[in-house]
Amino acid sequence: MKEYRLSGLSCADCASNLEKRIQGIRHGETAILNYHTGKLRIDERVDLDQVKQILSSEKVSLLDSSKETEPKIIWKENPRLWLLGGSLLVFLAALGLDMSDYSAAAIIAYLTAIVISGYSTFRKGVTNLFRFKFNMDTLMSIALIGAMAIGEWREGTVVALLFCLNEYLEGLGMERARRSMEKLLQVAPESAIRLSRGKEEVVPVSELKQGDVVIIRPGDKIPSDGTVVKGSSSVNEAAITGESLPVEKSFGAPVFGGSINNEGILYIKIEKVYQESAIAKILRMVEEAQARKTPTELLIDRFARYYTPLIMVIALFVMLVPPLFFGEDYRMWLYQGLAVLIVGCPCALILSSPIANLSGITRNARHGILVKGSAFLELLGKVKTIAFDKTGTLTKGKPQVEKVITYDERFYPVAAALEKSSSHPLARAIMEWLKPHLDDIKDPQKIQAFAGRGISALLDGDRYWLGNEVFIQEQIPIAHKVQEQMKQLKEEGYTLVVVADQKGVLGIFGLADEVRSESRTVIRALKQLGIKQTVMLTGDHKEAAQKTARETGVTLWYSDLLPEEKVAHLKKFTDQGKVAMIGDGINDAPALAIADLGIAMGKGTDSAIETADIVLMQDHLSKLPEAIKVAKRVNRVIRFNIGLSLGLKLVALLLTIPGLLTLWIAILSDMGATIIVSLTSLAILWEGKA
């Protein structure tokens, strides 16, 4: 598939029509035209001349995405502005000629102004009329024809001018939102300096392979995910994680593509080709997010399909009923009916949601909050309950061994053998503590893992178990003295990992995980934002869970939970409103999937990006309230936009009752709504108070 940018795409309905027409040509079945991003993806076998011809019918031109990344909105590159300017000059000349009654010269001037500014609309509208397709071009064309038929040349010209201006403003609002997104997406470098056989060579990022070593000088962008093999420097990872403070990097440290080297020279070994890097996935998902419509947008689309024909019926009623049944002046009510048609243009209504959603996704992405679709952004603003995993979410996720009780000399070597291949945070903490105490670690046989509970294995022919207290009690009886010591450790808030054989307990590790400094502040902020319940779900024992709950201030907490039990608890909360689950994207995958909204924490890790609906790219829980603030603001703006769009149209329609509705009032009601809708939606991008 080949991707192209489109210039001049300013109408959602036109975009849909163009997509269908392109899909109708040879090899065009898979074509995707995204109005939100202003991009077209087509099969490389498609005849480009045919595509350009189809696009030109809507004054849309094709640009190669690889060459044109930022559309420019300036006079010489926007033909609609030229048309507006020329039409306005002719209109002013017509007003000069039209001192009282319409003269032939004035009529010609008005007609010229109408043709200049309204030709494209008129041509599409007449074509649609013959196809029985009723959209805003059709309505405007009928209104223009009617205005000229009853001799309202002046107002007909004003309508054509204002509609042309309205289309320009509509396109401008969407283009501004696209440009903001484009600027955000321009974080990936185009080339890199590769070290090959001791020589430096500049190559496109797409040519880099796994294992290549690249040189990153101060100010350069890192081309893809990798590891530092030489040098030290601080790196700005804001584009990936939203973290504004630089991160120190030296030998062995991981780096993300798209981040910027600050001062020293770094030698980076590429671990992933660009297409598989965190930044490539982020950019791809952000772009895909713009194409997914929210339930509100789908509702507006359905409403608009019925709304336009309904307006035509109302207009026909206004034109015919008063003159035929009440003896009113047919000319006046024909004029009123034409004005009703113009009121029927759904421009502002259609724009009420997409610009706001695009602005919200962009603003969140700036701060390292990846929202994978407008639907998820809308849902985030409606969440009433947020469930947290404990380890790595409310806590730092780096538990440490703080107390050890040994009953048998085999305790250390058995624990090391059973934990050495595990990636669980508790296992890593235990292995870190055991390193100074062991020279050699044996390989266990017949390992069995019990999710959320422990593991079992054979070592030198003997069966051993490692896990939590409940798991060990299911395997062997535990001596009373050992149980008392376990109870004491748990009361102190430690998480226990017990090692045992068939005769008894060999030893106990007491681990503690420090609560994140921002957790309590975040929970308080969430409550202020209207989140009714904050819930902690953890597999940890009651005492450790209680300690964390007390320090963070969560509303409810549940301990000793297996993964399937977390899912069961979440199902209960979904009956009480929208529920979001926050976890690490790996161990909590079932819970993330069952929740209305899955939110993952992680520094750009593959699992976090791929699992959840929303990703907090930096391991900062403090990003969550900001994301919810933006989501709530987007929802408020969309509700305001819809209310304004429909409200102005209702007022305009009510003016037909006393016969006060005019053509220019009708078009101004729609244009005014379009301007306000665009401005309020773009205001979301401003970094002020959400």
Side-chain angles (χ1 to χ4, degrees):
M1 296 286 280
K2 180 80 171 175
E3 185 175 82
Y4 296 90
R5 273 205 57 84
L6 300 176
S7 175
L9 187 66
S10 60
C11 164
D13 186 59
C14 304
S16 177
N17 181 47
L18 289 172
E19 183 182 68
K20 289 176 183 175
R21 290 174 63 187
I22 293 171
Q23 288 172 348
I25 65 177
R26 192 181 180 194
H27 303 306
E29 300 85 0
T30 57
I32 300 172
L33 198 161
N34 190 333
Y35 171 63
H36 295 75
T37 61
K39 290 184 179 180
L40 171 67
R41 295 183 70 221
I42 52 175
D43 193 304
E44 293 181 358
R45 296 171 294 174
V46 170
D47 185 347
L48 271 186
D49 291 332
Q50 278 187 277
V51 173
K52 289 177 181 177
Q53 188 176 357
I54 292 171
L55 293 173
S56 65
S57 66
E58 299 284 356
K59 304 297 183 197
V60 177
S61 55
L62 208 61
L63 304 168
D64 192 320
S65 279
S66 62
K67 297 177 182 177
E68 185 71 30
T69 56
E70 187 175 350
K72 298 177 179 61
I73 306 173
I74 55 178
W75 272 86
K76 67 178 182 179
E77 294 188 5
N78 200 310
R80 187 168 279 112
L81 279 179
W82 281 109
L83 292 174
L84 266 173
S87 183
L88 183 60
L89 290 174
V90 177
F91 174 65
L92 292 174
L95 288 176
L97 293 168
D98 176 23
M99 296 303 178
S100 55
D101 296 331
Y102 290 116
S103 63
I107 290 174
I108 292 171
Y110 283 130
L111 183 59
T112 303
I114 290 173
V115 169
I116 292 173
S117 58
Y119 169 74
S120 175
T121 299
F122 183 76
R123 180 177 55 80
K124 290 183 287 185
V126 171
T127 303
N128 289 337
L129 194 57
F130 283 112
R131 294 174 179 170
F132 294 99
K133 180 182 178 183
F134 302 106
N135 61 10
M136 54 190 173
D137 292 317
T138 314
L139 297 180
M140 288 303 301
S141 299
I142 295 172
L144 284 174
I145 293 170
M148 290 186 287
I150 62 175
E152 293 290 347
W153 294 97
R154 189 185 303 111
E155 291 208 23
T157 308
V158 171
V159 167
L161 276 167
L162 291 177
F163 187 71
C164 187
L165 176 61
N166 190 52
E167 280 195 313
Y168 167 69
L169 293 173
E170 181 183 340
L172 182 65
M174 199 68 211
E175 195 61 63
R176 290 293 183 191
R178 287 184 195 136
R179 288 180 70 188
S180 180
M181 179 61 78
E182 287 286 342
K183 187 176 180 181
L184 173 75
L185 297 182
Q186 289 173 6
V187 297
E190 295 180 359
S191 60
I193 303 171
R194 182 169 61 189
L195 193 62
S196 180
R197 297 177 182 176
K199 294 182 179 180
E200 297 179 10
E201 57 178 348
V202 178
V203 297
V205 169
S206 58
E207 290 186 12
L208 292 177
K209 299 176 182 177
Q210 189 174 359
D212 284 349
V213 175
V214 294
I215 302 172
I216 312 297
R217 296 193 172 95
D220 288 351
K221 291 180 181 178
I222 296 171
S224 189
D225 297 358
T227 306
V228 177
V229 293
K230 183 180 178 182
S232 62
S233 179
S234 65
V235 172
N236 182 346
E237 296 181 342
I240 314 300
T241 65
E243 175 57 62
S244 57
L245 295 176
V247 181
E248 294 297 327
K249 302 289 182 179
S250 57
F251 179 78
V255 291
F256 299 121
S259 49
I260 302 171
N261 181 24
N262 285 333
E263 62 273 338
I265 295 177
L266 291 174
Y267 289 75
I268 308 292
K269 181 182 178 182
I270 300 298
E271 302 292 348
K272 295 179 181 176
V273 295
Y274 173 74
Q275 291 79 5
E276 296 176 3
S277 66
I279 185 63
K281 289 181 179 179
I282 292 170
L283 302 189
R284 189 160 57 246
M285 287 179 181
V286 169
E287 285 211 326
E288 288 172 357
Q290 301 167 65
R292 298 173 184 168
K293 290 191 174 184
T294 67
T296 301
E297 287 177 326
L298 292 172
L299 181 62
I300 290 172
D301 286 348
R302 287 196 299 271
F303 177 74
R305 282 202 297 270
Y306 297 107
Y307 169 76
T308 304
L310 177 63
I311 285 293
M312 294 192 73
V313 172
I314 294 173
L316 196 62
F317 180 87
V318 171
M319 290 176 187
L320 298 178
V321 171
L324 292 177
F325 295 98
F326 300 101
E328 298 285 343
D329 179 20
Y330 84 92
R331 191 177 183 280
M332 186 191 82
W333 288 102
L334 178 61
Y335 178 87
Q336 292 287 303
L338 295 175
V340 169
L341 284 178
I342 294 173
V343 171
C345 293
C347 307
L349 185 63
I350 291 172
L351 278 181
S352 59
S353 182
I355 297 179
N357 279 319
L358 185 57
S359 298
I361 290 172
T362 303
R363 178 165 171 176
N364 273 328
R366 284 178 186 167
H367 296 283
I369 305 162
L370 175 59
V371 183
K372 295 186 181 178
S374 299
F376 302 128
L377 185 67
E378 182 177 303
L379 190 57
L380 181 61
K382 297 177 180 179
V383 164
K384 296 300 179 186
T385 300
I386 298 182
F388 297 86
D389 173 47
K390 172 179 165 284
T391 305
T393 304
L394 290 173
T395 64
K396 291 183 177 179
K398 294 182 179 178
Q400 295 179 329
V401 175
E402 295 193 1
K403 282 202 174 182
V404 178
I405 298 177
T406 305
Y407 302 109
D408 191 292
E409 61 181 12
R410 293 171 295 161
F411 174 42
Y412 290 174
V414 169
L418 270 62
E419 292 281 50
K420 74 172 187 177
S421 58
S422 174
S423 59
H424 193 282
L426 295 180
R428 289 199 297 266
I430 289 171
M431 290 306 296
E432 187 70 27
W433 190 88
L434 285 172
K435 273 183 184 178
H437 302 278
L438 295 171
D439 296 323
D440 183 43
I441 301 175
K442 295 182 178 180
D443 294 320
Q445 296 84 40
K446 296 184 179 180
I447 300 175
Q448 287 181 281
F450 301 85
R453 303 168 69 199
I455 55 176
S456 170
L458 290 178
L459 200 63
D460 296 331
D462 295 322
R463 173 66 63 182
Y464 294 93
W465 295 275
L466 179 148
N468 59 35
E469 178 189 8
V470 175
F471 175 68
I472 299 300
Q473 283 179 327
E474 291 174 356
Q475 316 306 321
I476 61 165
I478 299 178
H480 178 72
K481 178 184 175 182
V482 176
Q483 288 184 5
E484 286 296 315
Q485 288 179 310
M486 285 182 179
K487 182 180 178 182
Q488 179 63 34
L489 289 173
K490 286 196 296 182
E491 286 175 354
E492 293 173 15
Y494 291 110
T495 297
L496 306 186
V497 174
V498 184
V499 179
D501 66 1
Q502 294 176 339
K503 295 180 181 178
V505 173
L506 304 181
I508 306 168
F509 291 105
L511 298 95
D513 187 7
E514 187 179 351
V515 172
R516 291 177 182 272
S517 58
E518 70 268 25
S519 290
R520 190 170 188 84
T521 304
V522 168
I523 298 297
R524 190 185 306 118
L526 292 176
K527 290 177 181 177
Q528 291 171 351
L529 285 169
I531 303 300
K532 292 182 178 178
Q533 293 186 108
T534 50
V535 184
M536 183 179 72
L537 305 175
T538 179
D540 223 334
H541 62 79
K542 179 181 176 181
E543 288 78 7
Q546 188 175 36
K547 179 184 176 185
T548 303
R550 187 169 54 249
E551 291 180 22
T552 58
V554 294
T555 312
L556 299 169
W557 56 272
Y558 299 91
S559 61
D560 300 300
L561 298 179
L562 298 174
E564 58 268 25
E565 291 174 324
K566 288 185 180 182
V567 170
H569 278 289
L570 278 174
K571 285 181 178 178
K572 294 177 186 176
F573 289 114
T574 54
D575 296 332
Q576 304 170 24
K578 299 298 181 185
V579 178
M581 171 70 193
I582 306 179
D584 61 9
I586 306 171
N587 300 329
D588 298 298
L592 289 170
I594 200 66
D596 295 305
L597 196 65
I599 304 175
M601 297 182 66
K603 295 185 178 181
T605 57
D606 292 345
S607 55
I609 292 174
E610 292 167 5
T611 304
D613 306 316
I614 296 175
V615 182
L616 307 179
M617 296 303 295
Q618 177 72 3
D619 260 350
H620 283 328
L621 195 62
S622 57
K623 300 286 182 184
L624 183 60
E626 171 68 16
I628 293 175
K629 280 182 185 178
V630 172
K632 285 181 175 291
R633 182 176 177 184
V634 168
N635 288 351
R636 285 197 307 270
V637 166
I638 291 172
R639 287 195 298 270
F640 170 80
N641 288 347
I642 294 172
L644 178 76
S645 303
L646 294 176
L648 286 177
K649 291 184 184 300
L650 179 61
V651 170
L653 288 174
L654 289 175
L655 288 175
T656 60
I657 297 173
L660 297 176
L661 183 62
T662 62
L663 293 175
W664 63 269
I665 287 178
I667 191 68
L668 276 176
S669 72
D670 190 63
M671 187 176 74
T674 298
I675 293 171
I676 296 171
V677 161
S678 299
L679 289 177
T680 54
S681 298
L682 290 171
I684 294 169
L685 290 166
W686 298 341
E687 295 296 322
K689 187 178 179 181

